[in-house]
Amino acid sequence: MSLLVTLGRAAVLGLLLATPPALASLEPNDDQRQAATEVAESLRYGHYADVSLDDAWSRRSFERLLEILDGQRAYLLDRDVAAFSDLRTGMDEALLDAELARPFALYQRYHERAEQRLEWLLARIDEGIDFSFDSQQRLELERKDSPWAGSKAELDELWMKRLNNAALSLTISDQDPEQVTDTLRQRYEGQLSRLRQTNAADVFGLFMAAVTGSVDPHSEYLSPRQGESFDIQMRLSLEGIGALLQADGEFVKVSSLVAGGPAERDGALQPADRIIGVGQEDGEIVNVVGMRLDDVVDLIRGPKGSVVHLDVVPAQAIDMTRSTVIDITRDTVDLEDQAAQGEVIEVERDDGTHRLGVIEIPTFYVDFDAWQAGEEDFRSTTRDVAREVERLQAEGVEGIVLDLRNNGGGALQEANSLIGLFIDRGPTVQVRDARGRISLYGDTESGALYDGPLAVLVNRLSASASEIFAGAIQDYGRGLVVGNDTFGKGTVQTLNELSHGEIKLTRAKFYRISGESTQHRGVEPDINFPSLIDPELIGESSLDNALPWDTVREVQYRTYGEPHRHLETLRARHLERAEKQPNFHYLEQRSELARQLRAQHTSVSLNREQRKREVEAQEAEQLALENERRRALGLEPLEDWTDARDEDETADADAEDEPIDRAQVLETAQILLDYRQLEDGWHYAELN
């Protein structure tokens, strides 16, 4: 079984769709009808969950289709939705019998409304935009739970607010009225042009996305062209910036960064950032707000060595006008970029200097080609980590921290064999298939390479294989797990060919040796760190129709220690240190402030002065926290919050490399040292 470890319904940079011809007859063809019936059979008989294509499923998939077409309820009217109410109980027949006329007709209705709306916007721009911005109106930012509009006039009012907001945002970003007018005309003309190029393959893809997405977020239909691009990505020969994107309303959001990729190495782009513009090496930045995800991916992908300019709104920004331009040089991601690397850090205590090892593991990799060719020296995570462990032991470290932050997973066999470096032998993970059969993976080799103090550092972007590893270390009592709740991806996908395209299907589920699933909840650390990543935006629990957490029977295994005996003391010592560490204290305060601001920021003012006051007040709070941190580190304070990202990166490079990330590593080392000393001489405590 091929185990595909992914981070959810994200589009990998480099994913391309065929450029569609001018809009013609939107009718399904025989290949698509055949593929529909094959997808139906795959879901019914191959999916992990017990999928019944009945009326209840029809309602879910119909709502999913409406969400895909018009998630903000800005185009369709309530009478449009009512006209297709038969699909609420008829999506199952449409799929099973390949009767696709009604779903295609629903798309056609949406297409007509969207085309009319874009023409309406262009007409309003031609009439002239009111740049006084003295209205007392506010624009609601999230409308997915709003009722469908009852009249065209109701939508006219909404879209006039949206147009005014777009113009105000550009004006605050220092564009003059002529520039604003040109930018908005270009934006909507581009959207209209792309809309008119829609073909039947696009419509079928939307229907399939609703069908598979109603079951779980990781199952999806891939067209023949998408399948080719997926194969390219899996071979890691993709040329781009090394990021995974997903649609977020009208915007494109960064889901995660590929370990060792250009964006991850650059450090400026972060998960949950929104990309609002893309420019080529010598060209102007093209606004991509409202652009299709695959079109944005197409713009970002390019030849190795070329530069792409990204206009980005940081995840922590309160207003869409607060964007910054990031330049990233495109490159390929190879095995060397993802290799595990170790270092020795020193911790000063009253009793002297203590040396601890840290090994960063960006992904679980293996050089499959070299392995299959029978080469003895093939590269893999386990082999590279083993080499680093031996080197660190030779340098006399008192404990080892394994840094799995941002590790999105990889080869299951590597997670399994890596656990074997730290236990004698035993089970590592359970895999349950759709029939309820459980396969047990484990380490069969006697002896452990390293039996000393161990800590595993994780965050919200630690997923799949990372969660298997962290969960096993925690269950065995082999070490401490520190950081944030992990992603929560505990499912296994396989890629199966269809007569037309392919289907990526969830076929199994991971369970820890304790019997608990890693799905949805992830692994909960023994000691929690604050995080700027909002779990409502990133993680399995943020995805629609994610499979639930559950349990199976635990397996027999022996434990190697009792970290839980010391957790109360370890947490108290950690909190005491965190209050005194500028970067750690800043992270905790900023995390809390971000939660508060997200809860408050549900609408924006369309009044220029009020908008400025609101944004300035919110950014003043963020700036105060940032400058408090900088002063504590001996850095110059900033005058403007929008300078924080660029100036902070430069200044911090002089003081301490990536201090906030580094603070977590250093504090984990402190916790591990506390643990070692509380154990009063490290030893295995075999309990069973």
Side-chain angles (χ1 to χ4, degrees), residues 358-424:
V358 177
I359 302 176
E360 182 182 1
I361 306 174
T363 187
F364 287 90
Y365 54 87
V366 62
D367 188 341
F368 282 110
D369 292 338
W371 174 59
Q372 290 176 339
E375 297 180 17
E376 293 184 0
D377 296 328
F378 67 88
R379 295 291 298 275
S380 73
T381 299
T382 303
R383 290 183 169 207
D384 287 345
V385 170
R387 184 190 65 247
E388 293 299 308
V389 167
E390 290 172 342
R391 181 178 66 83
L392 293 172
Q393 284 184 298
E395 295 188 34
V397 298
E398 300 177 46
I400 292 178
V401 175
L402 300 177
D403 187 354
L404 295 182
R405 290 175 302 171
N406 306 324
N407 183 322
L412 174 64
Q413 69 185 63
E414 286 303 306
N416 179 65
S417 60
L418 187 65
I419 295 167
L421 297 183
F422 305 101
I423 64 171
D424 183 8

Side-chain angles (χ1 to χ4, degrees), residues 76-311:
L76 294 171
L77 299 170
D78 57 359
R79 63 175 179 268
D80 295 326
V81 177
F84 291 90
S85 60
D86 57 297
L87 284 175
R88 290 189 186 277
T89 56
M91 287 284 281
D92 52 345
E93 286 90 352
L95 183 65
L96 288 166
D97 301 332
E99 295 294 338
L100 306 181
R102 290 295 286 163
F104 270 63
L106 172 57
Y107 174 82
Q108 186 69 55
R109 179 68 59 87
Y110 158 77
H111 187 282
E112 292 168 359
R113 295 299 189 194
E115 189 172 32
Q116 293 167 1
R117 182 54 56 191
L118 290 167
E119 290 172 341
W120 182 89
L121 285 166
L122 290 169
R124 301 291 80 74
I125 292 173
D126 289 340
E127 291 173 1
I129 297 172
D130 181 3
F131 287 94
S132 62
F133 300 120
D134 55 4
S135 167
Q136 298 306 310
Q137 293 180 317
R138 300 187 69 86
L139 174 66
E140 185 182 12
L141 295 176
E142 183 56 65
R143 286 179 44 83
K144 66 178 182 179
D145 296 324
S146 299
W148 296 100
S151 67
K152 181 176 176 294
E154 190 177 337
L155 286 183
D156 286 348
E157 181 180 356
L158 168 66
W159 277 99
M160 184 56 72
K161 288 183 178 181
R162 285 188 163 196
L163 179 61
N164 289 335
N165 179 60
L168 176 56
S169 297
L170 293 171
T171 301
I172 294 176
S173 299
D174 296 327
Q175 289 194 19
D176 61 37
E178 184 178 355
Q179 289 174 312
V180 170
T181 300
D182 289 344
T183 297
L184 292 177
R185 182 179 288 112
Q186 183 185 66
R187 177 187 302 180
Y188 299 129
E189 284 177 347
Q191 291 180 24
L192 184 58
S193 175
R194 290 187 293 273
L195 182 70
R196 286 171 173 167
Q197 294 177 46
T198 304
N199 62 20
D202 298 323
V203 181
F204 182 70
L206 295 173
F207 175 62
M208 286 292 100
V211 165
T212 58
S214 65
V215 177
D216 87 289
H218 302 294
S219 294
E220 60 181 321
Y221 169 79
L222 301 176
S223 69
R225 187 61 181 270
Q226 286 176 308
E228 292 175 9
S229 293
F230 184 82
D231 290 341
I232 292 173
Q233 183 266 327
M234 289 304 293
R235 291 195 300 268
L236 288 179
S237 59
L238 178 66
E239 293 182 356
I241 65 171
L244 281 74
L245 305 181
Q246 65 184 59
D248 184 22
E250 290 185 308
F251 302 99
V252 169
K253 181 175 71 177
V254 178
S255 174
S256 64
L257 303 179
V258 177
E264 194 261 351
R265 292 196 303 266
D266 179 79
L269 195 66
Q270 298 294 324
D273 285 356
R274 286 158 291 183
I275 298 174
I276 63 172
V278 179
Q280 305 310 314
E281 206 153 21
D282 299 320
E284 294 184 358
I285 291 180
V286 176
N287 188 285
V288 298
V289 176
M291 188 178 289
R292 284 179 13 168
L293 178 60
D294 51 284
D295 288 332
V296 178
V297 169
D298 193 4
L299 287 175
I300 295 175
R301 186 183 182 187
K304 178 179 179 179
S306 61
V307 176
V308 62
H309 310 293
L310 302 180
D311 193 6

Side-chain angles (χ1 to χ4, degrees), residues 9 64 67 144 213 215-217 540-547:
R9 288 191 55 81
R64 184 68 177 163
E67 183 179 347
K144 66 178 182 179
V215 177
D216 87 289
E540 189 78 7
S541 60
S542 72
L543 302 176
D544 292 334
N545 301 314
L547 296 184

Side-chain angles (χ1 to χ4, degrees), residues 6-8 253-257 271-272 403-409 457-464 466-467 481-489 518-525 528-543 546 587 591 598 661 664:
T6 61
L7 277 175
K253 181 175 71 177
V254 178
S255 174
S256 64
L257 303 179
D403 187 354
L404 295 182
R405 290 175 302 171
N406 306 324
N407 183 322
L457 177 58
V458 295
N459 66 2
R460 186 63 172 175
L461 296 176
S462 303
S464 203
S466 294
E467 297 174 286
V481 177
V482 179
N484 313 121
D485 288 359
T486 59
F487 191 93
K489 185 182 182 296
T518 57
Q519 170 63 15
H520 207 280
R521 294 186 185 180
V523 176
E524 182 180 348
N528 279 284
F529 287 170
S531 172
L532 294 181
I533 299 177
D534 187 347
E536 294 185 5
L537 300 177
I538 299 291
E540 189 78 7
S541 60
S542 72
L543 302 176
L587 188 62
S591 177
R598 282 192 292 267
D661 284 345
Q664 294 183 334

Side-chain angles (χ1 to χ4, degrees), residues 156 241 264 327 339 471 480 502 516 554 617 620 630 634 665:
D156 286 348
I241 65 171
E264 194 261 351
D327 297 336
L480 295 165
E502 298 171 288
E516 296 183 12
E554 70 173 326
R630 296 175 71 86
V665 173

Side-chain angles (χ1 to χ4, degrees), residues 52-63:
S52 297
L53 300 180
D54 53 15
D55 288 352
W57 175 84
S58 289
R59 284 189 288 273
R60 291 197 307 274
S61 58
F62 179 62
E63 292 300 326

